[in-house]
């Protein structure tokens, strides 16, 4: 799922030259028997273009539909974890300067100086559990969950860097933030996000993958090149979330972007907080905000 913001006018008409330019970008994904993607374009805060390219299922020949096809969007789950933390801060139930150990039990003392603020900006030195599990012999198609990650973290004797000294992208950090949301709210992260974010924004087809065996209406299959000119099915049986495991549609992601512009969830203050860039201990500002990278492209 790709969400694009454009400054130039984009007409919905299929004959519009800019529509054709967008289509040209994704032409490789629109070939017969090719897995593809869904695209949503916003301009001046309003939906301007929406289309699916390629197939959601090579086996059944089902095309991708931007409104109905549910895709695993990987790390685009992280902004929703950040929003959940910021909503709880608004509720007065936590402080971003709290140690992660205050809200997540089972972490060793080495995590004491790591705050929620550090983890939101990927500056906590928490590392990344994903390669650690893989190097430990747990493949992506093996069954693994939150308990496996916590057992891994319980053995930590050091951080990858002192908190606040450098930016280092961390799935571990957002996994822990998701656990903190659950501890503070008394609800699972999927429950909290559904009540406080997805429902208010009308994201009716968005959900977390809580079980590898769940039947998800409209879910696209995942593929990789098989090295023989075709494709092979790819699946993950990991059941942890906070850093990933979000299933959504392109149109729902546009609804989320619209909601940010309007301040529908948490008001304008939350939208601003989500986009507040981090600062290192030496005062240097980094591009990373709270799960969002702030940068400039072509002006």
């Amino acid at each position: 799922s790709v969400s694009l913001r454009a400054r130039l006018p984009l007409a919905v008409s299929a004959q519009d030259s800019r529509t054709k330019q967008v289509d040209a970008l994704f032409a490789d994904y629109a070939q017969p028997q090719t897995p593809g993607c869904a695209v949503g374009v916003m301009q001046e805060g309003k939906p301007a273009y929406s289309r699916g390219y390629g197939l959601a299922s090579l086996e059944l020949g089902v095309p991708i539909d931007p409104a109905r096809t549910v895709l695993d969007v990987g790390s685009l789950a992280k902004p929703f974890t950040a929003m959940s933390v910021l909503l709880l801060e608004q509720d007065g139930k936590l402080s971003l300067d709290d140690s992660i150990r205050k809200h997540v039990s089972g972490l060793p003392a080495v995590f004491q100086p790591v705050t929620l603020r550090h983890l939101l900006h990927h500056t906590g030195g928490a590392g990344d559990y994903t390669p650690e599990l893989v190097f430990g012999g747990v493949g992506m198609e093996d069954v693994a969950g939150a308990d496996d990650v916590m057992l891994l973290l319980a053995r930590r004797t050091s951080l990858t860097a002192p908190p606040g000294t450098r930016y280092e992208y961390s799935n571990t950090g957002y996994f822990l933030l998701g656990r903190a949301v659950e501890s503070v709210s008394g609800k699972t992260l999927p429950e909290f996000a559904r009540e406080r974010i997805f429902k208010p924004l009308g994201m009716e087809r968005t959900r977390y993958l809580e079980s590898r065996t769940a039947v998800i209406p409209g879910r696209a299959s995942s593929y990789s090149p098989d090295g023989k000119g075709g494709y092979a099915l790819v699946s993950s049986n990991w059941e942890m979330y906070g850093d990933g495991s979000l299933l959504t549609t392109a149109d729902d992601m546009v609804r989320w972007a619209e909601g940010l512009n309007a301040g529908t969830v948490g008001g304008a203050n939350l939208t601003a907080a989500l986009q507040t860039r981090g600062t290192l201990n030496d005062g240097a500002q980094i591009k990373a905000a709270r799960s969002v990278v702030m940068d400039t492209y072509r002006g």
Side-chain angles (χ1 to χ4, degrees), residues 96 116-117 127 168 193 199 203 206 221 260 264 272 287:
L96 299 189
L116 304 183
R117 190 184 306 276
E168 181 182 65
K199 280 190 175 182
M203 299 173 68
T206 301
S221 298
L260 284 181
T264 306
K287 291 182 179 180

Side-chain angles (χ1 to χ4, degrees), residues 137-160:
V138 181
M140 292 301 294
E141 295 194 353
D142 294 330
V143 178
D147 289 345
D148 297 288
V149 180
M150 290 304 298
L151 286 173
L152 190 72
L153 298 180
R155 297 194 292 267
R156 283 280 184 86
T157 58
S158 64
L159 300 173
T160 58

Side-chain angles (χ1 to χ4, degrees), residues 2 17 19 93 128 138 162-163 185 187 207 212 227 243 280 286:
V2 181
S17 63
T19 296
K93 294 184 176 180
D128 195 337
V138 181
S185 70
K187 301 175 181 179
R207 61 185 290 177
R212 67 188 185 281
D243 57 310
L280 299 179
I286 60 177

